[in-house]
Amino acid sequence: MNETKKGFDAKEFFSQYTMVIALVVVFFLFVYLTGGRLLYAQNMSNLMLQNGYVFVMACGMLLCILTGGNIDLSVGSVICMVGGLAAILITNKGMNPILVIILCLILGILAGVWHGYWIGYMRIPPFITTLGGMFIFRGIGRLILDSKTVAVQNPAFLNIFTAYINIPGLDDGDLKLSPLIAGVVIAVFLLYRVVASRAKKAKNGYRQNSAVSDFGKAIVIAAIVLIYCYKLAQYKGISVMLIWVAAICLIYNFITSKTAFGRYFYAVGGNEKATKLSGINTNKVYFLAYTNMGLLAGLCGLLCLARVGSVNGSTGTSFEMDAIGSCFIGGASAYGGSGTIPGVIIGALLLGIINMGMSILGIGDSWQYVVKGAVLLIAVIFSVVFKKGKN
């Protein structure tokens, strides 16, 4: 007979949602320290614009980390290379922006294939392979740019990534209505999913969390979505960048949680030998993880170019650290085999809030690095200690 109900366990709740609680605490801390300036509508909108590349890169980095705690150190350099090529082709060569985007994404994929081949099939350690790629692609990027800063002012290209959605009749006034409608739809969908999921589990006699836990989490998330959408409505509305980020996160959450292909990455990180004996081509899993990372790094190169409006030889420096940090802060295991896209989103949000909060306070880059490094170290230590405690 299956146990159909699980009572509320405060200890388990706090251990499971530690980083969520940390995110909330850090957010309200910076709201207090900035005198409420963090809550300004423009700052809330810019939070996504300035950190969109982190969310996208972190989704790809998670797949690499799942295979055994492996990382890709070259993504910042790939961003520089791809962004540099796009800027040169659009500004200097006058090429069609759509064609440039396709060529740049292919370049990103080729960079990922380069790493994937050496890591997956030749079994060169990922750290060494991507460290070499970091230098190679950074050098290629600077050669493409000829050590200059190249700006892009093509409106067709910029609008694909940085425009704001404006629906006639809904977004004509100072308060944009489309974000509010989107927020209500998302909130209703979140609550519906909880009701449907609990009904399905009850029908099949499956064990499930308490109603307080499930509905409480859904209500909190729905409330956050509504508040954020209200802030967007007060500024310029929904940005295209937000749609890009949301689409990537939803796609990779589906892949990692709902598909057999996504489970292969967890299996390789959990026990590669057993996975190989079960008939899964582990070499191909490594290859696809890094090829995918190259694709997303290429997309991030375009996102960053559009947001900043220019690119130079230093573009993308240390961006890989933000992606890696988001994954580990969000609960990905340093040993692989464990991690989720929602966790990655929490980690990226935490880093984004820290960056924006300290920027509003006028804290220099040096201290920002210190704080982000400390947060990352604490998150990894907690993950390792908690895992040992459970064992």
Side-chain angles (χ1 to χ4, degrees), residues 57 90 140 169 213-214 279 300-301 314-315 329 363 376 383 391:
M57 278 198 305
I90 293 174
I140 293 174
S213 177
D214 284 345
C300 286
S314 298
T315 297
I329 291 171
I363 298 174
L376 173 59
S383 174
N391 293 335

Side-chain angles (χ1 to χ4, degrees), residues 228-243:
Y228 184 68
C229 288
Y230 177 68
K231 289 294 181 179
L232 295 181
Q234 290 179 311
Y235 186 53
K236 294 181 179 180
I238 300 174
S239 66
V240 177
M241 180 80 77
L242 176 59
I243 294 177

Side-chain angles (χ1 to χ4, degrees), residues 108-238:
I109 291 173
L110 291 176
V113 167
W114 169 262
H115 288 147
Y117 171 75
W118 293 112
I119 295 169
Y121 293 102
M122 302 306 293
R123 291 297 171 149
I124 306 299
F127 182 88
I128 300 301
T129 303
T130 59
L131 180 63
M134 180 176 72
F135 292 117
I136 292 170
F137 298 134
R138 176 69 63 181
I140 293 174
R142 290 180 176 177
L143 288 171
I144 291 173
L145 292 165
D146 194 22
S147 299
K148 298 176 181 177
T149 297
V150 179
V152 173
Q153 298 178 338
N154 186 298
F157 173 78
L158 298 176
N159 288 339
I160 292 174
F161 299 106
T162 60
Y164 286 84
I165 294 175
N166 194 313
I167 301 175
L170 291 179
D171 301 324
D172 297 333
D174 293 334
L175 185 68
K176 314 299 180 184
L177 297 181
S178 59
L180 297 177
I181 295 172
V184 171
V185 171
I186 294 171
V188 171
F189 176 73
L190 289 172
L191 294 173
Y192 167 77
R193 280 194 62 185
V194 174
V195 173
S197 176
R198 290 185 62 83
K200 184 177 179 180
K201 289 180 179 179
K203 180 180 179 181
N204 295 321
Y206 294 154
R207 180 181 181 183
Q208 57 182 317
N209 297 324
S210 66
V212 173
S213 177
D214 284 345
F215 281 105
K217 182 172 68 173
I219 290 171
V220 169
I221 295 174
I224 292 173
V225 169
L226 288 172
I227 293 171
Y228 184 68
C229 288
Y230 177 68
K231 289 294 181 179
L232 295 181
Q234 290 179 311
Y235 186 53
K236 294 181 179 180
I238 300 174

Side-chain angles (χ1 to χ4, degrees), residues 358 363-373:
M358 289 193 292
I363 298 174
D365 290 342
S366 299
W367 279 108
Q368 291 188 30
Y369 281 119
V370 171
V371 172
K372 288 194 291 186

Side-chain angles (χ1 to χ4, degrees), residues 63-79:
L63 299 188
C64 297
I65 291 173
L66 288 177
T67 60
N70 303 308
I71 56 176
D72 188 339
L73 295 173
S74 72
V75 291
S77 298
V78 174
I79 286 173

